Amino acid sequence: MKHHNRNPRARGGRKRQPSRRDPLIGFEADVTIEQIGARGDGIAHVATPDGKSVLIYVDCVLPGDQVRVALRQKRGDGYGAEVVAEIARSSGYNTPRCAHFKECGGCALQHMNDYDYRTWKRDKALVAVQRAGIDPQDAETLVGDVEISPPASRRRAGFSVHVGATGVFVGFHGRFSHTVLNVPDCAVLRPELMAFREAFVMFLEACPPEHARDIKEVFVTLTDSGLDVLIQASNDPDLDMRQDLAAFAEAQNIARLSWKTGDRPDEPVAARHLPVVRFEGVEVAIAPGGFLQATQDGEQALVAAIKSALADIAPKNVADLFCGVGSFTFSLALSGKRRSVTAVESDPRAVELLQYAVGQSGSPVKVVKRDLFRQPLVGDELSSFDLVVFDPPRAGALAQSETLAVDGPEWIIAVSCNPATFSRDMRVLRNGGYEITKVVPVDQFLWSSHLELFAILRRVSAG
């Protein structure tokens, strides 16, 4: 066998050069915040020592704030910066409602006064509509006032869990951090969720540390019949842990407590009551960790917008796409005149539970399991409907929008939790001959950058 001397110039033989430190990291400057960006952070420009101007993103500030900042890390086309000194606050500043405001990564805009906050949220909706190709003046006419859920109204939360030498932490990650913060006085969650969090901290403090450390997250949903709790862990619970959890569920009056190890299916540890939600008086059970609208206020705002649209459209056959557990299904079928609804969802457990509720209630609903991302309704499948409603995940409904643009009915109602994919899907539908007739912004994640959009579209020409 021949042995070849390694070529020191070959790629694999090159020595890695030490990375150069960005000379702007740590640079400090006085700035005036210019505006709030899409993520809820302040935007400004800094003059660097070499005379250039760089874009910076600053947390926990408002337009008009004068602050001294230090550049901390490269971020996109600019730098993330940290406030090292406050020089002067703008007149729009409000004292934050939560003691964890600057540390927690959840509520970026607690310090903004209510009027400015409402205006900023509506402006996000205006931008989304304009990016769909609508003239700014027309967008101003189309977009209504923002429906904002009040403080202490969010009914579901995912708490991160860390058990270590310094104690038990059940809460949320810090801003741009993996550190878990305890949040005993969260201003946006329902009191029932906060009472659970406090009790769960005490439960973990009493557990053997080797078992408590297995728990990584706990998802809590307040249903109409009590709390539904799903624990995500790295190992299965032993018999003692199961018994302790069952006793904990009993003491806290938890409807159901389930355990999920890694990617394996969840299993019930304590099932005292069936967690259910009610839509138009129909009880629907939810699966552990199943999706619900974040607040009842937000859900009611969306349902009210749908009912108002139904009065004008008067459809007879409706498709409810990405229907989940039926947040809109029963309103579409039962409000006013009964109408036929085909509800389509890909989650097999949601489909099974919705089918059972439909059967029990005798509602005029047909439930279909189908992945609309890979297999959207097309052609003749759409021809029997005079209204299509869709409410997809954050990825949007591109494939379905493309088929609707060609073969969709006269009316479409679109609900979106992502303004970016909303704009994209609306462009597709408008290119197919639809026009947006109304937009309702719905804010279910108070003081955050998230925004939900409800839109009514009508076909005005052939695609």
Side-chain angles (χ1 to χ4, degrees):
M1 180 182 292
K2 293 184 178 180
H3 296 275
H4 299 279
N5 292 326
R6 188 177 184 127
N7 182 355
R9 300 184 63 186
R11 181 175 297 272
R14 291 178 180 172
K15 292 183 179 180
R16 180 176 295 178
Q17 297 295 323
S19 59
R20 294 182 179 180
R21 185 179 183 275
D22 189 324
L24 289 182
I25 301 299
F27 173 72
E28 295 189 8
D30 295 343
V31 299
T32 299
I33 303 302
E34 301 162 15
Q35 60 179 309
I36 297 295
R39 294 171 60 178
D41 40 18
I43 295 177
H45 289 80
V46 166
T48 61
D50 59 3
K52 296 181 179 179
S53 177
V54 298
L55 185 67
I56 63 167
Y57 302 92
V58 190
D59 293 325
C60 305
V61 292
L62 294 173
D65 282 357
Q66 299 176 40
V67 292
R68 185 166 186 82
V69 300
L71 276 58
R72 294 305 188 199
Q73 71 279 331
K74 196 78 175 70
R75 180 173 155 190
D77 54 352
Y79 289 82
E82 177 185 10
V83 175
V84 295
E86 296 180 1
I87 301 171
R89 281 288 194 180
S90 73
S91 59
Y93 179 81
N94 264 4
T95 302
R97 283 77 158 177
C98 177
H100 312 289
F101 166 61
K102 290 189 176 182
E103 293 79 24
C104 181
C107 304
L109 297 167
Q110 271 192 34
H111 58 320
M112 182 179 282
N113 70 56
D114 292 342
Y115 175 81
D116 289 345
Y117 175 76
R118 184 177 291 274
T119 301
W120 184 75
K121 280 287 172 104
R122 186 170 184 272
D123 285 345
K124 283 179 69 74
L126 288 170
V127 169
V129 171
Q130 291 171 29
R131 287 178 175 171
I134 305 293
D135 178 86
Q137 287 187 332
D138 292 337
E140 183 67 41
T141 302
L142 290 173
V143 177
D145 293 334
V146 186
E147 299 283 349
I148 299 180
S149 296
S153 64
R154 200 179 306 172
R155 61 179 171 181
R156 59 181 174 86
F159 293 109
S160 296
V161 178
H162 175 74
V163 179
T166 57
V168 172
F169 297 84
V170 178
F172 304 119
H173 287 114
R175 198 177 299 275
F176 302 113
S177 169
H178 295 294
T179 301
V180 179
L181 301 173
N182 275 323
V183 285
D185 59 350
C186 178
V188 298
L189 296 184
R190 287 281 298 260
E192 295 91 336
L193 272 64
M194 296 309 300
F196 166 84
R197 192 213 72 86
E198 182 179 1
F200 196 60
V201 169
M202 297 175 63
F203 171 81
L204 292 177
E205 288 174 341
C207 283
E210 64 273 17
H211 296 321
R213 280 193 292 266
D214 289 337
I215 298 175
K216 305 304 179 186
E217 289 183 285
V218 56
F219 300 93
V220 189
T221 302
L222 179 61
T223 72
D224 292 340
S225 57
L227 290 178
D228 185 41
V229 177
L230 174 63
I231 292 173
Q232 178 78 51
S234 56
N235 290 298
D236 292 335
D238 63 9
L239 180 59
D240 289 341
M241 186 62 156
R242 289 175 184 273
Q243 292 175 338
D244 290 343
L245 286 168
F248 173 75
E250 181 74 25
Q252 299 302 317
N253 196 25
I254 294 170
R256 179 177 61 198
L257 191 151
S258 306
W259 185 284
K260 180 175 172 62
T261 302
D263 294 329
R264 302 212 310 263
D266 53 75
E267 60 169 319
V269 175
R272 303 176 59 253
H273 313 293
L274 185 64
V276 299
V277 288
R278 296 179 182 88
F279 306 119
E280 300 297 322
V282 178
E283 287 192 349
V284 184
I286 66 167
F291 174 81
L292 284 180
Q293 296 291 334
T295 69
Q296 284 187 314
D297 300 81
E299 179 180 278
Q300 289 169 2
L302 291 168
V303 169
I306 287 175
K307 289 182 177 180
S308 176
L310 291 175
D312 295 330
I313 299 170
K316 295 181 179 179
N317 296 290
V318 181
D320 182 14
L321 309 184
F322 306 96
C323 67
V325 294
S327 298
F328 309 139
T329 305
F330 296 99
S331 296
L332 291 167
L334 302 177
S335 61
K337 294 182 179 180
R338 289 168 67 96
R339 55 190 66 85
S340 175
V341 175
T342 299
V344 185
E345 172 59 41
S346 63
D347 182 350
R349 290 203 289 185
V351 168
E352 180 181 354
L353 294 169
L354 184 55
Q355 284 175 330
Y356 181 80
V358 167
Q360 291 294 103
S361 65
S363 303
V365 176
K366 176 184 178 182
V367 185
V368 177
K369 180 183 178 299
R370 181 162 174 168
D371 185 344
L372 293 168
F373 291 108
R374 298 183 179 183
Q375 192 183 2
L377 298 185
V378 297
D380 291 342
E381 294 176 305
L382 292 169
S383 63
S384 62
F385 302 114
D386 41 20
L387 169 65
V388 168
V389 179
F390 65 81
D391 180 17
R394 289 186 61 80
L398 179 58
Q400 188 62 76
S401 294
E402 289 173 339
T403 65
L404 284 168
V406 177
D407 297 310
E410 180 181 2
W411 294 95
I412 293 174
I413 292 177
V415 182
S416 172
C417 60
N418 184 346
T421 55
F422 170 85
S423 299
R424 180 201 65 198
D425 294 345
M426 293 305 100
R427 283 197 303 271
V428 171
L429 292 169
R430 292 187 71 247
N431 289 339
Y434 285 93
E435 284 298 336
I436 301 173
T437 66
K438 183 178 182 180
V439 175
V440 179
V442 178
D443 181 13
Q444 300 195 64
F445 292 88
L446 186 64
W447 301 319
S448 78
S449 61
H450 296 289
L451 184 66
E452 199 148 3
L453 295 169
F454 170 97
I456 302 173
L457 300 95
R458 187 176 190 180
R459 186 182 289 280
V460 295
S461 66

